[in-house]
Amino acid sequence: MDDLDHLVIAQERAEKRYVDQRLNGLNNSRVISATDCIDCGDPIPKARQKAIKGVQRCVPCQSLSE
């Protein structure tokens, strides 16, 4: 496996985790915020986690996804 294969696998895992978390959020009245960004893996600040229930991305990655 080369670096590209590892990146593809990591991206697929992140996407699956995101979908799983979203589906779980729809089924639960309590939505849990991620502690690390699903895109870059950087920590999501506690203040952001509390302000935005179910947050999954850090500010820079959220800006890019919009």
Side-chain angles (χ1 to χ4, degrees):
M1 271 194 191
D2 62 11
D3 288 341
L4 182 58
D5 291 328
H6 289 286
L7 289 173
V8 169
I9 290 169
Q11 180 65 32
E12 288 171 351
R13 286 181 183 159
E15 289 172 3
K16 181 182 181 331
R17 186 171 56 244
Y18 175 77
V19 170
D20 289 347
Q21 288 172 343
R22 287 292 182 200
L23 290 175
N24 287 336
L26 293 175
N27 295 327
N28 296 325
S29 60
R30 189 172 160 192
V31 178
I32 299 172
S33 296
T35 56
D36 297 318
C37 178
I38 61 168
D39 292 336
C40 69
D42 286 350
I44 298 172
K46 294 281 185 199
R48 180 168 171 76
Q49 293 176 38
K50 289 180 182 178
I52 304 170
K53 299 297 180 196
V55 69
Q56 301 295 309
R57 291 183 172 94
C58 64
V59 172
C61 289
Q62 183 63 42
S63 296
L64 289 173
S65 75
E66 295 173 355

